[in-house]
Amino acid sequence: MKYDFAAIEPKWQKKWAEEKTFRCENHSDKPKFYALVEFPYPSGQGLHVGHTRPYTAMDVVARKRRMDGYNVLFPMGYDAFGLPTENYAIKNHIHPAKVTHDNIENFTRQLHMLGYSFDWDRVINTTDPAYYKWTQWIFLQLWKHGLAYKTTMPVNWCTSCKCVLANEEVVEGVCERCGAPVVRKEKSQWMLKITEYAQRLIDDLDELDFIERVKTQQKNWIGRSTGAEVTFKATTGEEIVVFTTRPDTLFGATYMVLSPEHALVKGWLESGLLNNADEVKAYQAAAASKSDLERTELNKEKTGVCLDGVKGINPVNGREIPIFISDYVLATYGTGAIMAVPAHDDRDWEFAKKFGCEIIEVVSGGEDVQKAAFTAKDETGILVNSDFLNGLTVKDAIPVITKWLEEKGIGTAKVNYKLRDWVFSRQRYWGEPIPMVYCDKCGWQPLPEDQLPLLLPDVESYEPTDDGESPISKMTDWVNTTCPCCGGPARRETDTMPQWAGSSWYFLRYMDPHNDKALASEEALKYWSPVDWYNGGMEHTTLHLLYSRFWHKFLYDIGVVPTKEPYQKRTSHGMILGEGGEKMSKSRGNVVNPNDVVAQYGADTMRTYIMFIGDFEKAASWSDNAVKGCKRFLDRVWNLSENLTDSLDYTSANESAIHKAIKKVADDIEAMKFNTAIAALMALVNDFYANGCSRGEYRTLLLLLSPFAPHMCEELWESLGFAADGMACQQAWPAYDESKTIAAQVQMAVQVCGKLRATITVPMDSDEAAVVATALADAKVQKFTEGKSLVKTILVPNKLVNLIAK
RNA sequence: GCGGGUAUGGUGGAAUUGGCAGACACGCAGGAUUUAGGUUCCUGUGGGUUAAACCGUGUGGGUUCAAGUCCCACUACCCGCACCA
């Protein structure tokens, strides 16, 4: 019989769905295992090959863990709020809810088509009011605990999406989603105080089993740096607080720089004491109109304006120093003001050279500071020109000066983070309404929890507006309401939550998806937490992964969830590229559609290939030819079933190879080395072709292959009569015997003076004398040892012997 | 600039602790089956040579009986962050 995947695959998918084969319960005698993949955004393009790599990988892991005897939760859902759907809806005049519904149907069909073993009774959808009720509920808790606040500040504004963006959503000065330029805009926004968790988000990484590059990327993003805040005085009397990581260089501070947006500058301008006010105002205006891209441009020349009419006073020596404004000082980091030490900071040096500022060396040990800044922070530098710090190393000087500053009351040790609070509102329609009401008398008031969910209203037009207001703001019936506090007239918040809201807690909902009393029951949370293994894309490291860790820590603090961290283990897959090694894109015409691959070769081939394609963590290029190779492998497995010997035992010819394969495939799946697991199975099948194959041997092969090619293995399992005690996926993983992975005879390499000369076959664990004797008897070896005497021999048991002859 | 990573045949990629480089595939060549094509099966396949010697893991050094693997110095490419004081 031919391998007819087109008939086999739907048959088993139907059976799994009808019998709810992969449904799991929230209690079990078995140990629990929670495997998670990132739920897709249900776009109109449908499932991409890029999705199949992580999904197949974790499906293999989940299937294997079930066979290992775990109670496995492997859920799926849809992260459906967001701009692409809304934009599609606007363009085609279809309601986003309808677009979402249709796209989800398509995704669901595709996910079934690929044979994933999700528990389909736990599907969630972030746009379902029963779901976003709890997203809103979490927001209210954040508000009640002072972690949500509304404030006016310069925010990132995407000119194309007509919407604000979080810092994390701006990539190289352009919108992460659409690539349009991002500009600064003053807007009143809801913010979440993720910065309050900065230190814990760093510290708790230590206890987690995350791949190293995820940890370092998160740490870099949070960007902790230690130093001191120092108070300078202006000649006009005001205090100017600066942040520095190098308080040891205070004596070398020869000028100060404020960000153009700094509040003091505004004050001085208003009081009219600046002689060059016009120049200053012009510079401020120029800085304000620059996009992020322009502001961060590489190798940009330093610009700035010296304030004429006010000076700073260096508190350590009383010297009056000039004050500049420049956009190389960021308003949003530290205090928005710096002391400039051109001798020991590259940026200050560059600025000083351009503006003719004084450069005073205060750390010796480098080159001439007039030629380049000396920035070493280790023990190589010795303080000079610094009064009581002279003679100390940089490392030793920092605590001395910090203590001195604290005693004098002009400075204090300080830790700063690059991480900013999370801009949490979006001026768009297709998102969760923020459940807040504004009353002129009572200010911002939370919607009472019993009024949740606050439903997204139907609007006639969900076009974004140029004035930066959400489309919902036009729905006056919905907007106008009463104050929950005083009962007077009030207005609802019309901005919606960002795309990342729903995904910040979705893994909790899977634990108890139909609960209408809580986001999930305490028992379910206790049973399943934390996620044991979460695989997802590196692109989410400083977005979703960071945001959800923050929310989870907050929920832990208020006693909702039982663990400090949501995910115990995090791994990440590489991208799938097109045939030529280029990114898949419509414009390049190299997009591979999983539907086509499944139609032509079957889901099992697709799954096997995507696992065989290469190192799971690295990018890999698609190859149609290599897909055929995997189809050929499955055909070979299938054809082998027609030539089995009757025995249920392992034959001596295959026994050791089978035991080795059982171990190898199991270890490789756990280590995500799927490519070598499949290579091992291919090698085993080649052995079976060479040596013949018994029913018992074939039975083991089916179990080992079943996580990768589940449909075909179930079909063969059934047709060969193994199904009396259930499907292949319900069997235990085959046992192996370590002692049987070892063959009686081994091949050993023989080197003479480090060069390979021959290969000999000796009994396992032969001693050195026996191996050397066998080696010396070999003609090829003799050719190189002839006329020489053996000086030394080195034996690597069962692998190699090296004969040193002179 | 800072941080992380990668470099192995014609191609994708293998190779715990240093121990037979190129597993497993793709491609290619030859053969068998087939009316033919396709499929399937078998054989070969790093370079070099009749065969050996010999040469081969980005480059240049080093340690070692033995280096893809360890050390030093480079080069190229990729990813992340980027005027963060």
Side-chain angles (χ1 to χ4, degrees), chain A residues 28-64:
Chain A
S28 170
D29 299 335
K30 302 171 179 176
K32 70 100 181 175
F33 179 71
Y34 185 175
L36 186 65
V37 289
E38 289 169 344
F39 60 165
Y41 184 86
S43 73
Q45 282 86 53
L47 201 73
H48 184 263
V49 244
H51 290 112
T52 67
R53 197 179 202 189
Y55 292 179
T56 307
M58 289 311 284
D59 189 55
V60 168
V61 170
R63 286 173 177 273
K64 154 79 169 36

Side-chain angles (χ1 to χ4, degrees), chain A residues 607-661:
Chain A
R607 292 169 58 109
T608 304
Y609 173 62
I610 207 73
M611 292 292 90
F612 187 62
I613 195 166
D615 186 332
F616 184 69
E617 289 203 28
K618 290 193 202 130
S621 314
W622 185 266
S623 159
D624 280 333
N625 272 330
V627 179
K628 286 179 201 156
C630 288
K631 174 64 165 45
R632 195 174 298 159
F633 166 60
L634 295 185
D635 280 334
R636 272 166 73 79
V637 173
W638 182 273
N639 294 338
L640 191 61
S641 72
E642 286 164 14
N643 288 298
L644 301 177
T645 60
D646 266 340
S647 167
L648 279 169
D649 297 325
Y650 297 162
T651 58
S652 60
N654 292 325
E655 186 176 45
S656 138
I658 291 169
H659 283 279
K660 267 193 231 169

Side-chain angles (χ1 to χ4, degrees), chain A residues 742-772:
Chain A
I742 298 156
Q745 300 268 309
V746 285
Q747 294 225 315
M748 286 183 65
V750 181
Q751 293 183 340
V752 179
C753 297
K755 296 220 170 206
L756 179 71
R757 297 304 181 190
T759 306
I760 54 172
T761 304
V762 292
M764 189 75 191
D765 293 329
S766 296
D767 63 18
E768 186 156 346
V771 174
V772 171

Side-chain angles (χ1 to χ4, degrees), chain A residues 197-492:
Chain A
Y197 284 77
Q199 192 59 50
R200 285 165 66 190
L201 286 168
I202 295 174
D203 291 344
D204 293 347
L205 284 172
D206 290 343
E207 298 159 31
L208 300 176
D209 186 15
F210 284 15
I211 51 172
E212 216 43 49
R213 55 197 173 125
V214 169
K215 287 189 183 185
T216 43
Q217 244 181 68
Q218 288 208 343
K219 281 182 194 163
N220 289 346
W221 185 261
I222 297 167
R224 181 181 201 269
S225 61
T226 57
E229 275 188 358
V230 184
T231 306
F232 283 57
K233 275 238 163 68
T235 47
T236 46
E238 296 91 342
E239 291 190 338
I240 310 172
V241 181
V242 304
F243 173 70
T244 177
T245 55
R246 295 289 305 277
D248 56 299
T249 62
L250 250 168
F251 287 90
T254 54
Y255 63 95
M256 304 183 74
V257 187
L258 308 186
S259 69
E261 301 89 347
H262 201 280
L264 279 175
V265 181
K266 212 192 238 173
W268 288 326
L269 278 172
E270 279 164 11
S271 64
L273 73 92
L274 296 184
N275 303 321
N276 59 343
D278 289 346
E279 200 188 344
V280 171
K281 282 181 191 159
Y283 187 82
Q284 285 179 321
S289 69
K290 278 183 191 168
S291 70
D292 275 30
L293 195 61
E294 289 167 314
R295 273 183 91 127
T296 60
E297 215 170 273
L298 207 65
N299 298 329
K300 201 185 65 174
E301 271 235 352
K302 296 268 182 296
T303 59
V305 174
C306 185
L307 302 182
D308 184 1
V310 60
K311 292 210 166 202
I313 301 166
N314 187 335
V316 292
N317 54 19
R319 280 189 53 171
E320 287 193 7
I321 54 178
I323 302 175
F324 289 83
I325 58 168
S326 171
D327 64 2
Y328 88 91
V329 172
L330 307 175
T332 44
Y333 182 75
T335 61
I338 62 158
M339 63 173 204
V341 184
H344 305 291
D345 182 282
D346 290 323
R347 296 151 302 178
D348 296 346
W349 188 90
E350 199 189 316
F351 188 89
K353 279 287 167 191
K354 183 161 175 191
F355 288 88
C357 304
E358 199 180 353
I359 300 171
I360 299 176
E361 182 184 60
V362 289
V363 182
S364 67
E367 300 295 305
D368 181 0
V369 294
Q370 302 303 328
K371 299 217 170 82
F374 174 55
T375 57
K377 280 176 254 184
D378 51 20
E379 276 114 53
T380 57
I382 303 292
L383 275 282
V384 292
N385 298 325
S386 297
D387 198 349
F388 59 91
L389 296 177
N390 287 342
L392 294 174
T393 63
V394 170
K395 208 178 137 213
D396 293 338
I398 290 175
V400 172
I401 181 72
T402 307
K403 190 161 167 252
W404 185 88
L405 289 167
E406 282 175 351
E407 278 168 8
K408 296 266 174 188
I410 48 175
T412 170
K414 171 83 181 173
V415 176
N416 257 322
Y417 302 91
K418 285 195 232 177
L419 186 71
R420 322 277 164 78
D421 276 345
W422 177 8
V423 180
F424 198 68
S425 33
R426 299 291 180 274
Q427 294 68 46
R428 296 294 297 240
Y429 172 71
W430 194 232
E432 300 88 345
I434 294 174
M436 298 294 292
V437 171
Y438 186 78
C439 167
D440 285 335
K441 222 162 84 193
C442 312
W444 282 107
Q445 292 297 324
L447 202 66
E449 285 176 19
D450 59 15
Q451 289 180 35
L452 298 181
L454 171 60
L455 295 178
L456 189 59
D458 268 326
V459 296
E460 277 162 33
S461 158
Y462 19 81
E463 298 262 357
T465 59
D466 287 317
D467 61 7
E469 287 298 315
S470 158
I472 307 174
S473 60
K474 297 191 199 86
M475 300 293 300
T476 46
D477 286 355
W478 185 84
V479 173
N480 293 323
T481 182
T482 52
C483 173
C485 183
C486 71
R491 292 169 52 82
R492 291 187 198 280

Side-chain angles (χ1 to χ4, degrees), chain A residues 469-574:
Chain A
E469 287 298 315
S470 158
I472 307 174
S473 60
K474 297 191 199 86
M475 300 293 300
T476 46
D477 286 355
W478 185 84
V479 173
N480 293 323
T481 182
T482 52
C483 173
C485 183
C486 71
R491 292 169 52 82
R492 291 187 198 280
E493 171 59 59
T494 57
D495 283 359
T496 53
M497 297 189 197
Q499 153 104 75
W500 312 101
S503 60
S504 290
W505 70 282
Y506 77 113
F507 52 93
L508 298 173
R509 190 64 176 170
Y510 284 140
M511 299 176 188
D512 190 12
H514 310 295
N515 193 320
D516 60 358
K517 304 278 185 301
L519 55 82
S521 75
E522 212 180 313
E523 304 80 69
L525 289 164
K526 250 201 170 122
Y527 179 69
W528 288 113
S529 294
V531 172
D532 293 286
W533 188 343
Y534 189 16
N535 185 81
M538 281 307 287
E539 70 276 17
H540 289 135
T541 303
T542 55
L543 287 159
H544 157 67
L545 198 68
L546 194 65
Y547 293 151
S548 57
R549 287 185 62 221
F550 160 47
W551 275 34
H552 197 267
K553 284 184 174 305
F554 165 69
L555 292 173
Y556 173 74
D557 288 349
I558 63 168
V560 173
V561 298
T563 58
K564 277 199 285 188
E565 286 283 339
Y567 322 116
Q568 185 53 41
K569 173 173 179 171
R570 170 77 177 189
T571 54
S572 204
H573 53 275

